[in-house]
Amino acid sequence: MDRVPILQIGDVLLVSIQVDLQDQSVLNLQEDLAERISATGASGVVIDISAVEIVDSFIGRMFATIASLSQLFDADTVVVGMRPAVAITLVELGLTLGNVRTALDLDRGIKILRVLHERRRGLPGTGHAASTLGLR
Amino acid sequence: MPANADRAHRLSGLLADNAGTLLQRWVQLAGAELQGRLTVAELERDLRELLDTLLPVAGRQAADVRTGADFTELNTVLTELSRRRARQNLTPTETASSVFALKQAVFELTEQDDDPALFRELITFSSLLDSLGLLTFEAYTRAREEVINEQEVQLLELTTPVVKIWEGVLAVPLVGTLDSGRTQVVMEKLLQSLVDTGSEHAIIDITGVLAVDTQVAQHLLKTVVAARLMGAECTISGIRPQIAQTIVALGIEFGDITTKATLADALRHALRSDGLSVVRRDQVGA
């Protein structure tokens, strides 16, 4: 069974899903991710699904699960690069992603995480950056 | 029935022998019916082709028209003729009348003959022509349907443009009636454009939408949610007073989806959330 690689960039973990997911690999990913976040103390998780063409309700739920999971470690989750067909499918399935934030691409996703992180630490001068990214 | 077949040959023979005069008379009669909407040369070419394919099967029964293998060519020629005329805006009656005009020409040719067998064959031939006339009707309707379908597709393409109105802001001005098919096209086109242009804002302008019911609202909401899933913010603008009334009366909830009165308001909203603001030049310093 292929395991999805989890890469670390600064204090952000990047999960890039390049294969069509099986239920078992989704479970493995959740497990691995929980371990990695707790080990690294990462402040954010980016899930890149730009290569994912097919989703079902199980995978749809994965995003919400990962988000709640990383929330326990005080990390934010951003899903980036969702394809139109995937978005339509998730809407038709009636799934919402809960606490998950979304971004068009990896670059924007990491920016959002940075702003969220700074805001959480209460750093000054982030008001403008937050408004730039449409965060409320 | 060999004897019958022999006699059928008689009418076919008669028609083949007089093909030239028959054609002239047919063109004349059909031309009178069309009142100059086609040129004589054009009509003659059409009818000659028709007569050439009709003569070999002139002795056959009307019931064979749809099934007979030797009718394939005649059917093709007739369908093509009818299709062409449909596109030239001739009525189906005019096309069918052209076919029926042959009856008159054939009757005139056989008037002098009082052989009852020939008369029987004429009746058969006449009903054969009736079937052919009906065939032109069908072909006409089919041709028209094709035209309508083509136009529908074109209309769908034309009425759902996705335009970029600012750096990172896309707009979809919707016009006309929304149904599930169209909304699906809009949704797919908009989402794809978001990816292609990397835009984070989309505005769906429904100024030109005549009516909003629960289903249309549902489709709009789905589009907005799908855009949100992809990481873009979607605003709905151009809700007209009557439509606003309908939406409230139907109890449709737009939830936390931003709605604006006009496209301009929606654009300003998009710019502002991008950290931009539009101010007069003379007020910049102040």
Side-chain angles (χ1 to χ4, degrees):
Chain A
M1 183 62 69
D2 289 337
R3 291 187 103 86
V4 179
I6 302 172
L7 312 169
Q8 187 173 3
I9 308 174
D11 55 358
V12 170
L13 291 181
L14 169 63
V15 182
S16 180
I17 300 172
Q18 299 291 336
V19 289
D20 284 331
L21 290 172
Q22 310 289 322
D23 287 2
Q24 188 55 48
S25 43
V26 169
L27 293 175
N28 289 342
L29 173 61
Q30 290 174 2
E31 226 167 83
D32 292 353
L33 196 59
E35 270 171 35
R36 283 298 292 274
I37 301 175
S38 101
T40 58
S43 71
V45 178
V46 183
I47 308 173
D48 175 24
I49 55 165
S50 54
V52 175
E53 287 178 25
I54 299 166
V55 287
D56 56 15
S57 52
F58 193 79
I59 296 175
R61 247 181 39 214
M62 169 189 82
F63 302 124
T65 312
I66 288 182
S68 338
L69 203 140
S70 37
Q71 195 121 56
L72 290 177
F73 297 102
D74 198 21
D76 297 296
T77 310
V78 182
V79 172
V80 302
M82 188 183 292
R83 292 184 176 217
V86 171
I88 292 173
T89 310
L90 289 181
V91 173
E92 293 294 338
L93 286 173
L95 286 173
T96 51
L97 296 189
N99 288 330
V100 185
R101 289 181 184 278
T102 50
L104 282 176
D105 51 36
L106 186 57
D107 192 39
R108 290 187 170 98
I110 289 177
K111 268 185 201 147
I112 288 181
L113 281 182
R114 192 171 301 146
V115 170
L116 285 175
H117 185 57
E118 284 173 1
R119 185 195 279 179
R120 187 174 305 172
R121 284 208 213 139
L123 291 184
T126 53
H128 172 69
S131 75
T132 307
L133 288 164
L135 297 177
R136 284 175 290 269
Chain B
M1 288 182 282
N4 219 345
D6 263 339
R7 288 211 195 93
H9 273 302
R10 215 197 127 197
L11 179 65
S12 304
L14 198 63
L15 295 180
D17 290 344
N18 298 292
T21 46
L22 194 62
L23 181 64
Q24 288 315 314
R25 184 67 185 134
W26 190 12
V27 170
Q28 206 180 353
L29 288 166
E33 197 72 49
L34 290 175
Q35 291 163 345
R37 297 186 61 185
L38 286 177
T39 64
V40 175
E42 214 175 344
L43 191 60
E44 193 179 331
R45 202 187 50 231
D46 285 351
L47 296 187
R48 172 170 294 137
E49 196 183 8
L50 203 54
L51 192 62
D52 286 346
T53 46
L54 176 62
L55 282 180
V57 291
R60 302 290 299 273
Q61 297 289 327
D64 296 340
V65 169
R66 275 153 214 286
T67 52
D70 40 359
F71 274 98
T72 320
E73 199 188 346
L74 179 58
N75 281 349
T76 318
V77 170
L78 205 57
T79 309
E80 196 42 52
L81 173 85
S82 183
R83 202 172 279 261
R84 211 162 44 232
R85 296 211 174 164
R87 293 195 184 251
Q88 284 167 340
N89 273 333
L90 271 81
T91 65
T93 311
E94 283 167 328
T95 309
S97 297
S98 294
V99 176
F100 293 145
L102 180 60
K103 278 189 198 177
Q104 173 81 22
V106 172
F107 285 143
E108 282 172 14
L109 191 70
T110 55
E111 230 164 16
Q112 308 305 321
D113 210 314
D114 49 6
D115 179 2
L118 185 65
F119 186 68
R120 207 173 300 127
E121 285 166 19
L122 266 178
I123 298 288
T124 313
F125 183 66
S126 170
S127 39
L128 176 69
L129 282 184
D130 289 342
S131 296
L132 294 180
L134 289 178
L135 203 68
T136 63
F137 258 100
E138 269 176 33
Y140 181 91
T141 325
R142 262 203 307 277
R144 275 309 176 95
E145 263 165 26
E146 276 166 27
V147 172
I148 292 171
N149 286 342
E150 271 169 34
Q151 285 173 343
E152 218 163 74
V153 172
Q154 283 172 0
L155 209 62
L156 207 58
E157 288 293 310
L158 281 176
T159 52
T160 51
V162 178
V163 288
K164 175 178 170 181
I165 54 172
W166 200 269
E167 211 58 61
V169 186
L170 294 181
V172 193
L174 288 179
V175 176
T177 324
L178 281 181
D179 54 32
S180 6
R182 256 192 85 192
T183 328
Q184 191 74 17
V185 173
V186 173
M187 194 198 255
E188 278 167 21
K189 250 178 136 175
L190 175 61
L191 298 185
Q192 191 56 49
S193 307
L194 286 175
V195 177
D196 293 345
T197 60
S199 304
E200 282 190 333
H201 295 279
I203 302 169
I204 302 178
D205 186 76
I206 58 169
T207 311
V209 175
L210 300 175
V212 169
D213 56 17
T214 44
Q215 209 173 359
V216 170
Q218 188 67 22
H219 285 307
L220 287 175
L221 294 184
K222 275 184 185 171
T223 311
V224 174
V225 175
R228 208 173 264 180
L229 281 181
M230 290 174 54
E233 194 56 39
C234 202
T235 311
I236 296 175
S237 75
I239 300 176
R240 287 184 293 152
Q242 293 133 310
I243 289 183
Q245 297 242 11
T246 321
I247 289 175
V248 174
L250 287 173
I252 298 166
E253 285 286 336
F254 274 103
D256 55 348
I257 291 164
T258 320
T259 52
K260 293 281 173 188
T262 63
L263 184 60
D265 291 336
L267 177 61
R268 192 176 301 135
H269 171 76
L271 292 178
R272 193 167 294 160
S273 58
D274 253 356
L276 296 170
S277 60
V278 182
V279 286
R280 291 184 67 94
R281 222 175 332 176
D282 53 10
Q283 287 175 352
V284 173

